[in-house]
């Protein structure tokens, strides 16, 4: 589901979380810039808070995440992704997006 517009995303996200409570709710986020990382960490937190065990994966087409921030912030956020159990796949190519 696209993250924009935000209002529509929020409604679809809550529906996803409710369904995930019974059916599982893995999440795949395309783009590991600051917004993608923030979304991945928030998704993982929200699902865990609902008691849902779900995989959250970030796909990045480049060779590394968070290319546009400093090395210290990149290291801290990358460590947080690992600590929270968010998978990161760099160098990934997306061929198709389906609902």
């Amino acid at each position: 589901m696209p993250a924009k517009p935000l209002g529509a995303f929020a409604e679809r996200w809550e529906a996803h979380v409710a369904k995930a409570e019974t059916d599982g709710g893995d999440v795949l986020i395309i783009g590991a810039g600051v917004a993608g990382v923030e979304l991945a960490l928030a998704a993982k937190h929200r699902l865990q808070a609902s008691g849902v065990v779900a995989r959250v994966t970030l796909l990045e087409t480049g060779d590394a995440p968070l290319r546009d921030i400093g090395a210290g912030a990149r290291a801290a956020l990358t460590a947080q992704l690992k600590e929270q159990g968010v998978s990161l796949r760099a160098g990934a190519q997306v061929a198709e997006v389906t609902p």
Side-chain angles (χ1 to χ4, degrees), residues 26-55:
D26 292 348
V27 175
L28 176 70
I29 297 167
I30 301 170
V34 173
V37 168
E38 181 179 11
L39 192 56
L41 290 170
K44 187 72 170 181
H45 176 79
R46 177 66 174 89
L47 290 164
Q48 285 179 336
S50 294
V52 177
V53 177
R55 293 178 297 182

Side-chain angles (χ1 to χ4, degrees), residues 43-95:
K44 187 72 170 181
H45 176 79
R46 177 66 174 89
L47 290 164
Q48 285 179 336
S50 294
V52 177
V53 177
R55 293 178 297 182
V56 176
T57 304
L58 269 169
L59 294 183
E60 173 56 47
T61 59
D63 58 352
L66 301 160
R67 293 180 304 231
D68 298 331
I69 63 174
R74 183 180 315 111
L77 285 168
T78 301
Q80 193 60 221
L81 288 170
K82 186 174 183 176
E83 184 177 317
Q84 298 304 319
V86 175
S87 300
L88 174 63
R89 294 187 182 176
Q93 297 299 316
V94 177

